[in-house]
Amino acid sequence: MDGFERRKQQKKQAILQASLSLFQTQGIKKVPIAEIAKAANVSQVTIYNYFESKENLLEEVLIYYVDQIWQDYQYLFTEDISFDKKIKQMLFGKVDIANDINGEFLQFLMQYYTTEGNYIEKLYREEVLPAVMQLLQQGREEGLVHEQISDQAMLFYLQMFAEYLKREDLAPQIIPMTEDLTRLFFYGIAGEEPASE
């Protein structure tokens, strides 16, 4: 990558970071391109040159945001720690979508997820799902996931959950229940967590 391309990528990254920060705190409609340009230390023309419209920028910001979250989980999934500790970090760790995102931005994210062939669905199918299956296999090996539950049943359950999330009208109900739903998936309706080491 030459110097020009590197500077272009740095500017694009600055725009995405500034946009995400502003959209998360203020929502989408209240944030003009001029404010994003000021926060990213670039001109408005530069933003339009890179993204063409606020709508395209918003979609790129959403992808950038999802990638950041996925990177956090990828790191967790590959850490050399027990299944039990990984699950507890997933349930009670730093990633808390419900608290760090503006309602308007969250609504856009949920609407985007309902569109056919979207980036989130592709990422889920190609990367997230295989990683979760590998995590569940670790749980089996450590005796914390019941060996009689088949991969097919777990895949069906995950797909059922993912399909349900695509319903636009459910976003306001689902997000506050994220922790409960995750706990329900891993520990069942009895709510029993594995004993700590």
Side-chain angles (χ1 to χ4, degrees), residues 91-103:
L91 289 173
F92 308 112
K94 295 177 183 176
V95 180
D96 190 353
I97 298 171
N99 291 334
D100 72 356
I101 187 168
N102 176 278

Side-chain angles (χ1 to χ4, degrees), residues 91-116:
L91 289 173
F92 308 112
K94 295 177 183 176
V95 180
D96 190 353
I97 298 171
N99 291 334
D100 72 356
I101 187 168
N102 176 278
E104 188 185 4
F105 185 66
L106 178 61
Q107 188 175 12
F108 177 80
L109 190 151
M110 295 303 283
Q111 285 173 345
Y112 175 79
Y113 184 55
T114 65
T115 61
E116 189 68 31

Side-chain angles (χ1 to χ4, degrees), residues 29-148:
K29 293 176 185 169
K30 291 182 181 177
V31 179
I33 291 293
E35 190 172 350
I36 294 169
K38 184 178 178 184
N41 200 26
V42 297
S43 70
Q44 293 182 56
V45 173
T46 298
I47 293 176
Y48 284 111
N49 282 340
Y50 291 169
F51 300 98
E52 295 181 1
S53 68
K54 188 175 179 182
E55 290 73 27
N56 287 348
L57 171 61
L58 182 55
E59 186 172 339
E60 289 292 322
V61 168
L62 189 144
I63 291 168
Y64 175 73
Y65 176 69
V66 168
D67 281 344
Q68 282 187 325
I69 293 171
W70 175 230
Q71 283 174 11
D72 289 342
Y73 277 114
Q74 276 183 306
Y75 177 76
L76 174 62
F77 288 174
T78 57
E79 269 193 292
D80 189 20
I81 57 175
S82 69
F83 175 80
D84 179 26
K85 288 182 178 148
K86 286 179 183 179
I87 296 306
K88 284 186 177 173
Q89 283 188 41
M90 284 174 69
L91 289 173
F92 308 112
K94 295 177 183 176
V95 180
D96 190 353
I97 298 171
N99 291 334
D100 72 356
I101 187 168
N102 176 278
E104 188 185 4
F105 185 66
L106 178 61
Q107 188 175 12
F108 177 80
L109 190 151
M110 295 303 283
Q111 285 173 345
Y112 175 79
Y113 184 55
T114 65
T115 61
E116 189 68 31
N118 66 77
Y119 178 78
I120 300 171
E121 185 177 3
K122 184 173 183 286
L123 181 71
Y124 170 76
R125 189 177 59 251
E126 294 177 3
E127 296 187 41
V128 177
L129 198 52
V132 169
M133 295 308 295
Q134 195 170 7
L135 177 63
L136 292 171
Q137 182 57 36
Q138 178 187 349
R140 265 205 192 99
E141 290 166 4
E142 294 175 15
L144 298 171
V145 172
H146 203 288
E147 60 185 28
Q148 290 182 350

Side-chain angles (χ1 to χ4, degrees), residues 151-168:
D151 285 352
Q152 290 84 358
M154 286 189 283
L155 282 167
F156 182 80
Y157 186 86
L158 285 167
Q159 191 59 40
M160 187 171 56
F161 188 72
E163 288 297 323
Y164 200 67
L165 281 176
K166 289 183 182 181
R167 288 182 46 188
E168 288 184 48

